[in-house]
Structure formats: structure tokens, C-alpha cells
Amino acid sequence: MQLVVARIGRAHGIKGEVTVEVRTDEPELRLGPGAVLATEPSSVGPLTIATGRVHSGRLLLRFEGVADRTAAEALRNTLLIAEVDPEEVPEDPEEFYDHQLIDLDVVTRDGTDVGRISEVSHLPYQDLLIVQRPDGSEVMIPFVAEIVPEIDLEEQRAVIDPPPGLLDDSQAEIASSREDS
């Protein structure tokens, strides 16, 4: 099974290093020197990681055969893909691979059917579960413990505790209002 583990960003410096947007909770396992990664687009790869380091809070990688800024810049926006055993699970029981979450049924704590997870969107500060509702619409659920308290892989369901307004705009609560002076 293939998992997207990173997206290549800008070139850094003149020696072929690139910034990387990490999309795995296990970068030390997936993005270490010597790792051979498939790419999207596939014509760019496979790429073998020569070196990696953290600089100003960003992961920088250099790939074998990429020796200058021009070659590094040509890799921009390329997805890095690792081959993973489908039976492998993350070490932390509170972490999940995207393929484990996609197609899970989503229900509220009281058992109300919400829909089915169609996609996991990875944003800089949190992930979102994209849920396809029975009526064909989509709802985005922040993938945080307060809102998604339970993932049951055996039952193939995600239990959510949505705040007012997340699923139905008419139930939204106004946190504060400005009075006219």
C-alpha cells in the first residue's frame, strides 16, 4: 500500500536541498537517509534521500542526483510516497493512517447517522475528515479528540460529538455580539 508522506516545497540554498511539508506522524521512519520514495508525478522518481536536517523548524531534504538549486526547484510540489505494509499500524494507538479512516461510517454519540468519511485533508494546524452525507452534501469535521472522541476500526465507525452548528447551521450559537453604540 502506498502512503503520501510528504510534499516537496521550495529549494533551500544552492546545493540541492528542498523544504518538505511532512504528511506523516513518523518522519524519522519514512524520511530518513537512504529511504527510496515513489513520487507523484511518477516521472520525477523514485527519489532516494541522501540527507535530512531540521532548519528553523522545517525539514530539509537532499536527494541523490539533485546537486543544485535548479534541480531542486524542479521537484517543487512533488508528492513523496512510501510503500507500507497494509497490516502495519502506527505505534501510537491514537494515530491512524488515512486508509484506515476512509470509508468509516460517521455517527454522533446518540447513534445518529452522519455519513461516511470520503477523504482526510491535512492542513497545517489540524486534519479534517471530509464526510459524505446521505443527501450527497459534504461536511468537514475537525479531526480533534474533543469532536472525534472515538475511532472504532473493528466496527468501522467514527463517533463524533459535534458542537452546535457543525452539522446544522440553524443550530449555531452566537458566541458574542457587538452592540450598536
Side-chain angles (χ1 to χ4, degrees):
M1 165 170 291
Q2 296 187 323
L3 294 178
V4 174
V5 293
R7 184 182 65 80
I8 297 175
R10 300 204 283 237
H12 180 83
I14 60 171
K15 296 182 180 179
E17 283 185 313
V18 293
T19 61
V20 176
E21 174 190 314
V22 177
R23 294 190 178 176
T24 176
D25 291 329
E26 303 165 315
E28 63 286 341
L29 176 67
R30 310 273 180 227
L31 299 171
V36 179
L37 301 167
T39 61
E40 178 60 42
S42 58
S43 60
V44 175
L47 293 172
T48 302
I49 297 174
T51 63
R53 66 186 178 104
V54 176
H55 174 72
S56 298
R58 298 216 57 153
L59 179 61
L60 301 178
L61 296 178
R62 192 174 52 77
F63 300 99
E64 291 180 8
V66 179
D68 61 26
R69 184 176 185 86
T70 303
E73 193 60 43
L75 298 175
R76 190 172 191 167
N77 292 322
T78 298
L79 296 177
L80 299 176
I81 304 166
E83 190 65 40
V84 177
D85 181 345
E87 300 301 315
E88 183 180 329
V89 295
E91 289 179 21
D92 184 342
E94 297 295 314
E95 292 177 4
F96 302 93
Y97 292 135
D98 290 3
H99 71 272
Q100 293 175 295
L101 299 171
I102 291 175
D103 286 334
L104 291 184
D105 291 322
V106 179
V107 297
T108 60
R109 283 187 186 260
D110 66 9
T112 303
D113 182 40
V114 175
R116 181 168 285 190
I117 299 172
S118 62
E119 181 183 343
V120 180
S121 181
H122 301 280
L123 302 177
Y125 297 104
Q126 72 183 22
D127 297 333
L128 289 176
L129 301 177
I130 310 301
V131 177
Q132 188 79 34
R133 302 194 72 176
D135 67 5
S137 64
E138 285 185 341
V139 64
M140 293 181 277
I141 309 286
F143 193 28
V144 295
E146 296 79 25
I147 298 174
V148 186
E150 181 184 344
I151 297 289
D152 187 338
L153 295 178
E154 286 186 23
E155 294 292 323
Q156 288 290 289
R157 68 183 185 147
V159 177
I160 65 169
D161 187 11
L166 183 64
L167 301 179
D168 184 353
D169 290 343
S170 68
Q171 296 176 351
E173 296 176 357
I174 307 287
S176 66
S177 61
R178 198 184 298 190
E179 293 184 56
D180 292 329
S181 317

